[in-house]
Amino acid sequence: MWGGAVTRSQFQQTISNLRELDEVPEVPVENLVVLEEDSTRHLSVAREKEIASNLAFLSATSDNSLKVMAVCVEENNNGEGVTIRIASNTGDLSGVTRGFTLLATILEQAARRENSRIEDIKALFLQVVVLDLHRILARLRSRHAKSKKSIGKPALITQLHDAINDKSVEAMTQSTKSLKDGAQALQNLFRELEAIPNVNSNIDEAHEVVGEIVKQAHELTVASNLREALQNSKLESGLKKHLTEAIGKLGRYYSAATELVCAARDRKCRVFENIRVEPFQIKKPASSSKLPWKIHAEIQLLFFYELYPGHPRPRIICSSKSACYLCNLFFYLHGAFHVPRTHGRLYDKWTLPDWLDIPMERHRELSNITTSMKATLESKIQKALKSKKMKCRHPNESVLLPFAQWSSSALSKNLSPPASTSTSRPPFHLVQEGSPGKALRTLHASNSRAETSPDNTMNHMSAMDGISPITIGHKELPYCQLIALTTPSLHLKLDKLSLEFEFCQVSSCRLLVARVEDATVLWKKNRVVNIDDIPTTTELHLCSSPHGSNELTFQLQSAGKGIVCISFVWG
C-alpha cells in the first residue's frame, strides 16, 4: 500500500483475523484534545469541536444505522468564511447537502445579526426539524416513521410518561411534579402528532408539533434531573438508561440549533458571514466495486486533505456516531486531525483508499502509518490468543453530546432565576453568546401604528416563545417594578412602541421607566439610543453611575427629541 511492504490483501486479512478473536479491541473512550491554539485561526479548538459535533449530529437524517455521516469545519485562509465539508460511508449526499445549505443561509443571517437571537434560533430550529423530520419520527417511534425498527415497540413518549408516573419514582417533590407535568405535556403533544392522518399531506402541522415535542424534551432535560429521578426508581435498569439517552438525544436538536446560532453571532468570530457546504465522496475502483469494503466517512474527509495538501485544514473531524476502533487508530497514527470519541468496536469490512492519486511526497508517510497500524493489530491478535475469550458486549456507538461549555451551567447560581411555577414551560436554559462572562445586552424595537388593546397585546406576547412580556401604558409613567426574568428576552410594550431586550444572563432586577422630563431620579448622563436606528446590534454595557455599576440606563429618542428613560438595576 502506497509502495510499502504491506499489501492491501495482507492488511485486510490482519483486520479479519483480529475481528474473529476480538470484536471490541478497545473500550469506549473520550479523546482529549491536546491541540495548541493557533493565532492565525478565528475559531478556538473548543468551538470548532462543538460546531462540528452539532453539525454531525444533525447530518444523520436517516434511521439506517449502517449509514454514518462525518462533518468538519474549515476556515478560509483569508479568515472571512468557512466551508462545511460532509461525507458519508454510503448512500447519496444530495439531500443533506441541500439541507445544510439552507442551514448555512440562516447562520449567515445570524452572523450579520439582521434579526434577534430568538428569531435566528426559531428560523434555524424550524429548518432542523424539516431536515431531520423522519429521523426524529423514528426516535419517537411514531406510527408515521418510515423505519420498521419500532414495529411492536412502545412509543418513546409513552414509555417516559409511564416511567415518570411509576409508583417507585419518588413522592411529589417540586422536581418530581415538574417532571410529571413535563411528561404529561409531551404525551399530549405526541397524541396530537399521532392523530395527524398523514404527515406528508399535513407537513406544516407535522413540523410544528414535532418541533414543540423536541423543545419540550429539551426543556425537560435541562430544567429537571430526569436521570436522578429514574435512577432512584425500581424500574428496569435498561429502561432507565434508554429513556435518559433517548430523551436527551431528542432535545439535542433544539440545543444544537441554539448553540450554532450563538456561535454564528459571536462578535469575536465573524467567519460565519460566508458559509459554503461541500460534499465529498470516495468511490471504489471498478475492480473492487463488488467487494464489501467500506471507506468510513471520517477516513474520506481525512483523505480529502491528503488529495489536496494545500487546502486549509480543520483540526476536528466529527461523525454522527463515535469513531470505530480502526478509524480511531488510524487518526492517532496519522496525527493531523482529531476525532472526539471512539466506541472501540472493529469492523472487518473497513479499508483505506490506497487507490487515490495522493501526491508522491505523502506516499512514504502513509506507507509507514499502514505498517504501524498492521503491527498494532498483530499485537492485539497475540494478546487475544493468550486471553480467555469473553462474551462480546456491543458498546453504544452513538452517545449524547454534552452541552456547549459556555452554557448557563457555568454561571453563578446567584444569577439564576427563581424556579418557574409554570407546569408547561420550565425555566429557559441559557446559552451565552460569545465568550463566558461577557455581558452583552442587545435592544430591538418596532413602532406599531396599529391600535392594539393591552389585553390582546399581553396575550400575544405571552404566546411568544422564550420571551417575558411587560405592558406599560404611557399614563402609568413613571413606572418602577421589581421583575423576575425567567427568560433571556424581555418584551416591553410602551403603548405603540414595542421593545425587545436580550440579556446574556437571566436574573431578577428592578425596571424603571420614566418620561424624559420626569427622569431626574435617573442618571442624567444617559446613553442615547435613536429609535430610527432600531433594530440595532449596538451593545449596551453596564457602566459606572451614581447608582453603582449594577445599573444600565439609557434614553430613547426620535428626531432628536427624548421620549423615555429606561433603567435596569440589579442587586
Side-chain angles (χ1 to χ4, degrees):
M1 299 175 75
W2 291 288
V6 178
T7 66
R8 190 193 305 168
S9 176
Q10 292 172 337
F11 187 70
Q12 298 298 148
Q13 187 59 54
T14 304
I15 292 174
S16 296
N17 291 344
L18 178 57
R19 173 66 167 72
E20 290 180 5
L21 295 169
D22 192 353
E23 191 175 342
V24 187
E26 188 173 292
V27 296
V29 64
E30 301 285 339
N31 294 326
L32 296 178
V33 183
V34 291
L35 303 174
E36 293 183 1
E37 293 292 348
D38 185 349
S39 60
T40 64
R41 295 178 185 259
H42 293 77
L43 288 173
S44 67
V45 175
R47 177 141 284 189
E48 181 183 334
K49 178 183 176 182
E50 176 222 329
I51 294 166
S53 295
N54 280 326
L55 290 172
F57 177 79
L58 298 179
S59 69
T61 60
S62 168
D63 193 41
N64 180 1
S65 60
L66 299 179
K67 182 174 183 177
V68 180
M69 302 289 298
V71 178
C72 63
V73 179
E74 62 184 51
E75 293 185 47
N76 295 353
N77 285 329
N78 59 11
E80 296 180 356
V82 294
T83 297
I84 299 172
R85 199 167 301 283
I86 59 176
S88 173
N89 65 342
T90 186
D92 182 42
L93 284 170
S94 59
V96 177
T97 302
R98 285 193 301 270
F100 268 35
T101 301
L102 293 173
L103 294 180
T105 300
I106 298 170
L107 289 174
E108 287 175 339
Q109 293 173 347
R112 294 191 294 268
R113 290 175 168 247
E114 296 175 356
N115 304 306
S116 70
R117 181 173 59 86
I118 295 295
E119 290 172 320
D120 287 335
I121 292 172
K122 184 177 180 180
L124 189 70
F125 177 59
L126 174 59
Q127 188 54 45
V128 164
V129 172
V130 172
L131 175 65
D132 290 291
L133 177 64
H134 293 292
R135 182 71 182 99
I136 297 172
L137 291 174
R139 289 189 186 278
L140 289 169
R141 296 177 180 172
S142 166
R143 72 178 186 87
H144 301 296
K146 293 182 178 180
S147 173
K148 296 181 180 180
K149 294 180 182 179
S150 58
I151 294 177
K153 296 181 180 179
L156 172 63
I157 301 303
T158 302
Q159 283 184 305
L160 174 69
H161 181 268
D162 293 346
I164 292 298
N165 287 279
D166 188 85
K167 292 181 180 179
S168 64
V169 174
E170 288 186 359
M172 292 290 289
T173 62
Q174 184 62 37
S175 176
T176 307
K177 184 179 185 304
S178 176
L179 276 173
K180 290 188 175 183
D181 290 339
Q184 184 60 56
L186 280 169
Q187 181 80 321
N188 294 340
L189 285 167
F190 185 69
R191 287 171 180 163
E192 188 177 340
L193 172 65
E194 297 299 87
I196 297 176
N198 185 294
V199 292
N200 294 323
S201 302
N202 303 270
I203 195 65
D204 291 338
E205 182 183 2
H207 288 155
E208 182 180 356
V209 177
V210 168
E212 192 59 35
I213 289 174
V214 169
K215 283 196 288 185
Q216 291 279 359
H218 168 72
E219 291 171 350
L220 188 70
T221 55
V222 300
S224 59
N225 199 332
L226 175 62
R227 183 186 299 274
E228 183 179 345
L230 294 177
Q231 199 64 38
N232 295 332
S233 71
K234 295 181 180 179
L235 296 168
E236 194 269 322
S237 59
L239 176 62
K240 291 188 283 189
K241 182 179 180 182
H242 161 68
L243 287 175
T244 303
E245 292 178 351
I247 296 298
K249 288 177 182 177
L250 190 61
R252 189 65 187 174
Y253 292 97
Y254 186 77
S255 62
T258 303
E259 290 168 11
L260 286 170
V261 166
C262 289
R265 288 172 62 92
D266 187 352
R267 291 184 184 279
K268 290 185 177 180
C269 183
R270 312 305 298 168
V271 294
F272 286 93
E273 291 183 0
N274 182 18
I275 306 173
R276 296 175 63 185
V277 178
E278 294 186 358
F280 178 69
Q281 200 159 23
I282 295 176
K283 295 183 179 180
K284 291 187 291 186
S287 59
S288 305
S289 60
K290 294 183 180 181
L291 294 174
W293 296 336
K294 277 192 176 182
I295 310 107
H296 284 204
E298 307 98 311
I299 295 296
Q300 293 192 44
L301 289 182
L302 182 150
F303 273 91
F304 171 85
Y305 298 101
E306 287 289 356
L307 279 169
Y308 306 101
H311 210 278
R313 291 188 169 195
R315 292 162 292 187
I316 313 291
I317 295 178
C318 291
S319 58
S320 53
K321 289 187 176 183
S322 301
C324 73
Y325 169 73
L326 294 173
C327 281
N328 190 62
L329 177 58
F330 188 83
F331 269 80
Y332 172 77
L333 295 172
H334 188 277
F337 306 94
H338 175 85
V339 289
R341 188 181 188 275
T342 177
H343 54 68
R345 189 176 178 184
L346 183 149
Y347 293 96
D348 58 350
K349 303 300 186 260
W350 189 94
T351 194
L352 291 170
D354 62 325
W355 55 85
L356 294 177
D357 190 18
I358 303 294
M360 285 297 298
E361 58 268 24
R362 289 293 300 157
H363 282 209
R364 183 175 180 179
E365 175 67 17
L366 291 172
S367 173
N368 290 340
I369 293 171
T370 306
T371 301
S372 297
M373 190 170 181
K374 183 174 181 292
T376 301
L377 299 180
E378 289 172 342
S379 175
K380 286 281 187 181
I381 290 171
Q382 293 303 314
K383 183 178 179 180
L385 288 171
K386 296 176 183 178
S387 304
K388 183 179 179 181
K389 190 169 184 178
M390 305 291 290
K391 184 179 179 181
C392 176
R393 292 186 178 182
H394 291 168
N396 183 2
E397 299 183 15
S398 177
V399 297
L400 182 62
L401 302 171
F403 289 113
Q405 63 182 36
W406 32 80
S407 68
S408 62
S409 60
L411 301 178
S412 168
K413 292 183 179 179
N414 294 329
L415 295 174
S416 300
S420 172
T421 57
S422 169
T423 58
S424 61
R425 189 169 296 281
F428 189 91
H429 187 75
L430 174 62
V431 177
Q432 186 174 335
E433 294 180 22
S435 56
K438 185 176 181 181
L440 296 181
R441 290 179 170 79
T442 308
L443 170 66
H444 303 270
S446 62
N447 197 349
S448 173
R449 297 182 180 179
E451 293 294 334
T452 308
S453 68
D455 290 341
N456 289 339
T457 300
M458 180 61 76
N459 290 336
H460 169 70
M461 288 190 292
S462 296
M464 296 177 69
D465 182 45
I467 295 179
S468 299
I470 293 179
T471 300
I472 304 171
H474 208 69
K475 295 180 180 179
E476 299 176 60
L477 301 182
Y479 175 91
C480 180
Q481 183 67 43
L482 181 66
I483 57 175
L485 294 176
T486 56
T487 74
S489 291
L490 170 67
H491 197 115
L492 180 60
K493 178 78 172 179
L494 294 170
D495 286 337
K496 297 179 183 179
L497 181 65
S498 295
L499 304 170
E500 183 182 326
F501 302 88
E502 291 186 10
F503 301 92
C504 75
Q505 295 176 355
V506 179
S507 178
S508 299
C509 65
R510 185 169 295 278
L511 170 65
L512 299 95
V513 184
R515 300 180 184 89
V516 171
E517 57 269 25
D518 297 332
T520 55
V521 295
L522 301 178
W523 187 29
K524 293 183 179 180
K525 295 181 180 180
N526 296 327
R527 174 86 173 261
V528 175
V529 178
N530 290 307
I531 292 179
D532 298 335
D533 295 335
I534 302 174
T536 179
T537 56
T538 302
E539 295 180 10
L540 304 178
H541 295 277
L542 290 176
C543 53
S544 298
S545 74
H547 301 287
S549 61
N550 62 335
E551 178 179 324
L552 173 65
T553 302
F554 59 93
Q555 179 189 126
L556 286 176
Q557 70 174 27
S558 179
K561 182 179 179 181
I563 301 175
V564 291
C565 283
I566 299 176
S567 181
F568 295 93
V569 182
W570 288 267

